[in-house]
Amino acid sequence: MVIQPIYLPHLLKQPRCTQVLAIDQAIADLKTLTPVRGEVSVRHGGTFLEVKAEAETIVTLHCDRCAQSYNQRLALDTKEILWLDNQGENTIPVLERELSWDDLSEVLPPDGHFDVETWLYEQFNLALPLKNLCGKDCQAPQVPDDGTGNGFDRRWAALADLKQQWN
Ligand SMILES: [Zn+2]
């Protein structure tokens, strides 16, 4: 099942120029344990698109410390403004709404499509943790027992041998 991209001129004919999509499915190329569930709303603001998403899923990650895999809930609660560029005129309106330049990241052609699925894919990738840790109690793997039974690392065993020779 594919989320149909939104044809922007059609969006202007929707009530309040807004389309709300209920999401309950896998997202292409996004490896998740459970379907992505939530809601995406796309509003045509004339010169920009306002995209809001509240969605969540569960992903399987690999711990950087102990290398075990574990499941983690990934939740999205985000809003993004995408400018619509009118044939290169690039007339950025007065920012009378509470928009800051930080909100503006991408420019779309006003007669093009907004690809909801790709956008969701990007948002979930941004939401992934930079460092994967399975839990607070996670321990690095123990140094395997070297079979001497004394629990020493081999290097210490070599030192102990040297000491014995000196005695
Ligand atoms: Zn771990």
Side-chain angles (χ1 to χ4, degrees):
M1 196 167 50
V2 173
I3 306 171
Q4 288 300 319
I6 296 172
Y7 182 51
L8 299 182
H10 282 174
L11 195 55
L12 284 167
K13 293 173 186 154
Q14 299 285 332
R16 292 179 293 117
C17 297
T18 303
Q19 190 166 341
V20 180
L21 301 160
I23 311 290
D24 185 1
Q25 63 177 100
I27 298 293
D29 299 326
L30 189 70
K31 283 190 189 129
T32 58
L33 198 64
T34 59
V36 171
R37 291 200 178 97
E39 200 176 83
V40 177
S41 95
V42 185
R43 183 170 73 88
H44 200 308
T47 51
F48 63 92
L49 277 193
E50 183 189 64
V51 189
K52 285 192 221 167
E54 270 185 54
E56 65 173 54
T57 187
I58 293 174
V59 290
T60 301
L61 301 174
H62 295 278
C63 180
D64 291 336
R65 204 185 277 166
C66 69
Q68 284 192 47
S69 58
Y70 63 102
N71 298 329
Q72 184 165 313
R73 181 175 168 269
L74 210 54
L76 214 62
D77 185 358
T78 190
K79 179 173 120 173
E80 193 181 19
I81 303 293
L82 299 110
W83 284 108
L84 304 175
D85 185 4
N86 216 341
Q87 283 100 47
E89 281 174 43
N90 213 357
T91 46
I92 305 294
V94 180
L95 300 175
E96 75 264 4
R97 302 164 193 92
E98 63 271 31
L99 305 178
S100 77
W101 289 104
D102 291 340
D103 294 326
L104 318 171
S105 55
E106 236 177 294
V107 177
L108 291 173
D111 57 350
H113 290 80
F114 174 64
D115 188 340
V116 180
E117 191 156 353
T118 302
W119 184 83
L120 270 178
Y121 171 82
E122 290 169 358
Q123 298 302 313
F124 272 108
N125 269 290
L126 289 172
L128 283 171
L130 293 175
K131 206 164 174 16
N132 298 335
L133 286 177
C134 65
K136 284 196 195 88
D137 304 329
C138 169
Q139 297 292 328
Q142 298 292 314
V143 175
D145 199 303
D146 60 6
T148 60
N150 58 14
F152 278 131
D153 189 293
R154 276 189 197 286
R155 285 162 297 184
W156 291 111
L159 267 182
D161 284 350
L162 275 177
K163 259 182 149 180
Q164 274 181 359
Q165 285 171 27
W166 291 336
N167 289 337

